Amino acid sequence: MIKEILVHLDGGDDDESRILHADHLAIVYQAHVQGLYINILPEPPESISHYAVSRSLLSQHLDDAKTQCRLVEHALEERLGKLAGPHDLHRIDCRAANVQGLVATQARTADLLVVRTPYRIAEPNRASDVVEAALFGSGRGVFVIPEEDPLRLRPFDTVLVGWKDSREAANAVTQAMPFLRRASQVIIATIDNGGSKDAPGDRNLARYLERHGVATEIRRLGKWDNIAAGLFNEAELSGAGLIVAGAYGHSRLREWALGGVTRDILTKTPVPALLAH
């Protein structure tokens, strides 16, 4: 059940696509939209002597930042005010180093977090801390809008589940259950990784979903050197509007390490993807 949708906002050009998708999901599931505006505060001077020299400049910088923050917040409130359903805006003022912990805390009490693809060539660090914090720290699903046609609202009639017999994939399926129940076609796709060709994991998943009223089709996609490319290819062939997959990696303090497949999906997914760790 999806009743609380969190959407990451920062005052940038990508906000419109995120709001549009969050609103679309909220209409489908009759959910509440909470905008999460993350306002990054200026970093303090590195030393007292540096502060003494530049305190007037710093004061002006802080005043300018506060003015810009109020303008952005007002613009976001006006934009969210155009949504048909219930919504609100929550602003968080924080240092860059604290973003990950705060995002994880907020995402834990939402059913879904809507984000754009991070790690783009032109913007290599676009919202990467937000996405990774939600993936590794919240236990919730992260709905990733693709880079291509970010304003396009796709139907989720066909859902492609990239299945691997793992905790991460199982959690992704759990988080995606509202989508799976509404879909007219759910495809369980597995990639040959050199293991047993008669592994029971996909059949177990099919039985599990059937008991939840979800009819599925198992497709074994053969061997692909690039697993994400195999899933993207199947998504195109089947006309899938959503890819569901586990997110793999681990964290060390405030540094994150993503698995290759997870990074590929986050960067290159041709359709919306729902990932969970």
Side-chain angles (χ1 to χ4, degrees):
M1 182 179 296
I2 297 176
K3 289 300 178 184
E4 181 76 2
I5 297 171
L6 191 65
V7 53
H8 165 237
L9 304 170
D10 58 14
D13 294 338
D14 288 329
D15 283 349
E16 180 59 28
S17 62
R18 291 187 287 241
I19 292 173
L20 191 66
H21 281 265
D23 186 36
H24 175 59
L25 293 170
I27 291 171
V28 172
Y29 294 102
Q30 299 184 329
H32 176 272
V33 173
Q34 182 181 73
L36 178 63
Y37 169 34
I38 300 176
N39 176 43
I40 304 299
L41 298 172
E43 294 297 328
E46 296 179 359
S47 66
I48 294 178
S49 60
H50 182 229
Y51 172 74
V53 172
S54 60
R55 59 185 177 182
S56 61
L57 182 62
L58 176 64
S59 177
Q60 181 62 48
H61 183 46
L62 288 172
D63 288 342
D64 291 344
K66 289 178 182 178
T67 299
Q68 180 61 26
C69 174
R70 287 193 293 268
L71 290 173
V72 170
E73 185 175 20
H74 178 67
L76 289 174
E77 287 174 340
E78 285 195 332
R79 176 60 184 89
L80 292 175
K82 298 177 182 178
L83 302 185
H87 59 272
D88 62 26
L89 179 66
H90 179 46
R91 190 185 92 195
I92 293 181
D93 300 321
C94 64
R95 306 291 181 191
N98 298 328
V99 167
Q100 291 174 343
L102 291 169
V103 168
T105 295
Q106 293 296 315
R108 286 176 194 137
T109 53
D111 297 306
L112 201 64
L113 172 65
V114 177
V115 299
R116 278 291 304 278
T117 50
Y119 321 119
R120 303 306 301 171
I121 294 175
E123 302 172 86
N125 295 314
R126 179 176 69 187
S128 58
D129 50 355
V130 172
V131 176
E132 292 167 6
L135 280 176
F136 288 106
S138 73
R140 299 295 190 175
V142 176
F143 185 92
V144 184
I145 301 169
E147 188 69 16
E148 300 300 328
D149 298 324
L151 297 177
R152 179 184 171 192
L153 299 175
R154 294 170 171 83
F156 304 129
D157 297 335
T158 298
V159 177
L160 180 71
V161 178
W163 178 250
K164 178 181 179 181
D165 191 10
S166 67
R167 178 194 65 186
E168 292 83 356
N171 187 36
V173 167
T174 298
Q175 300 300 324
M177 194 65 78
F179 294 92
L180 302 180
R181 285 177 173 150
R182 292 181 66 93
S184 56
Q185 181 181 31
V186 174
I187 299 168
I188 300 173
T190 60
I191 302 286
D192 177 15
N193 61 359
S196 170
K197 296 185 182 298
D198 192 36
D202 50 6
R203 296 195 302 275
N204 290 342
L205 176 61
R207 283 194 293 268
Y208 168 76
L209 290 176
E210 184 177 359
R211 293 184 183 112
H212 282 268
V214 179
T216 63
E217 175 187 347
I218 296 173
R219 294 187 188 175
R220 291 169 179 151
L221 308 184
K223 186 171 179 59
W224 284 76
D225 292 333
N226 186 308
I227 293 175
L231 294 176
F232 298 159
N233 181 71
E234 186 60 33
E236 181 178 0
L237 292 175
S238 63
L242 180 69
I243 294 173
V244 175
Y248 300 92
H250 61 278
S251 61
R252 296 189 189 95
L253 297 178
R254 291 192 176 95
E255 295 182 0
W256 305 95
L258 289 169
V261 177
T262 302
R263 183 174 288 271
D264 283 347
I265 293 176
L266 285 172
T267 306
K268 304 171 184 177
T269 183
V271 298
L274 194 154
L275 303 177
H277 179 67

